[in-house]
Amino acid sequence: MRLILLGPPGAGKGTQAKILLDAYSIPQLSTGDILRAAIAARTPMGLEAKAIMDRGDLVSDTVVNAIVSERLDAPDCANGFILDGFPRTIAQAEALDAMLTDKGLALDAVIEIRADEDTLVQRVLNRAKETGGARADDNEDVIRKRLGVYRELTAPLVAYYEAQGLLKSVDGMSPVAQVSADIRAALAE
Ligand code: AMP
């Protein structure tokens, strides 16, 4: 199963990816997690990405495309993967299409997790409280910025994948268990 989870920050992509990886025994590929690990390890890529992420902007397509291309070649992706937080721009989606074609692979579905913006701001602020502010980008100004970036650069992917016949949408405002049941049902269609 080769999936993309698409949705604004705080919609529950990470939570749902973790549930799906248990159900389908395929890895979660989160470009955000990979970038945060690079920051923690103080690699040159991490140092370059940190300021961009802290202010809620997107890291360059070149950097994230390279991360994903390398990650897709790892043995644990042989039976599939769940992309969480990638692609985030049309250019990234086109790069992913090219990568998959190159590797002789195809996507099975793109799951859009729809969510209401005001609820998302509240969720991200709650996450900041629960984690003691572990993520520098979990504060109100930055979350509003990230939602704006989502609307402008990432939301057009909904139409992009709809045109490919891959899009399935679920309501991300339902309880976590309901959202995952809706995703399983959409995948079984
Ligand atoms: P996330 O953990 O998915 O919310 O990502 C946190 C931050 O990492 C984003 O706000 C971006 O700065 C950066 N990032 C993660 N994935 C991507 C991507 N596919 N393209 C560009 N920037 C990304």
Side-chain angles (χ1 to χ4, degrees):
M1 182 79 79
R2 296 183 185 86
L3 296 179
I4 292 175
L5 292 184
L6 185 63
K13 299 187 297 294
T15 303
Q16 293 302 330
K18 288 191 175 66
I19 296 171
L20 286 166
L21 72 88
D22 282 338
Y24 294 100
S25 302
I26 47 176
Q28 168 194 18
L29 273 58
S30 159
T31 41
D33 284 352
I34 294 169
L35 289 165
R36 280 185 289 278
I39 292 175
R42 298 180 177 279
T43 68
M45 180 180 82
L47 295 175
E48 201 185 315
K50 185 176 181 347
I52 299 170
M53 289 171 69
D54 284 354
R55 63 172 189 260
D57 279 322
L58 293 186
V59 174
S60 80
D61 290 339
T62 317
V63 166
V64 289
N65 290 345
I67 290 175
V68 171
S69 176
E70 195 188 320
R71 187 65 188 80
L72 289 180
D73 289 333
D76 65 336
C77 289
N79 293 323
F81 49 78
I82 304 161
L83 283 166
D84 158 14
F86 180 94
R88 261 179 157 95
T89 63
I90 294 283
Q92 290 177 19
E94 288 171 349
L96 177 64
D97 281 346
M99 272 176 228
L100 292 174
T101 304
D102 250 21
K103 300 179 203 291
L105 303 173
L107 291 168
D108 292 291
V110 177
I111 309 279
E112 179 202 12
I113 306 183
R114 279 184 278 103
D116 159 74
E117 284 206 9
D118 288 333
T119 314
L120 291 179
V121 173
Q122 211 41 57
R123 273 196 192 176
V124 173
L125 295 180
N126 288 343
R127 176 167 74 189
K129 257 191 226 143
E130 281 162 19
T131 60
R135 281 182 57 161
D137 57 354
D138 276 355
N139 65 68
E140 181 150 5
D141 287 349
V142 177
I143 176 65
R144 292 216 181 264
K145 170 74 183 285
R146 287 160 65 204
L147 286 168
V149 168
Y150 180 83
R151 239 183 283 121
E152 187 189 344
L153 297 174
T154 310
L157 294 179
V158 171
Y160 181 90
Y161 286 117
E162 196 158 32
Q164 292 192 11
L166 289 170
L167 192 77
K168 298 176 189 293
S169 292
V170 298
D171 179 3
M173 298 287 88
S174 305
V176 171
Q178 184 62 51
V179 178
S180 43
D182 291 347
I183 293 176
R184 299 284 292 274
L187 290 175
E189 268 168 19

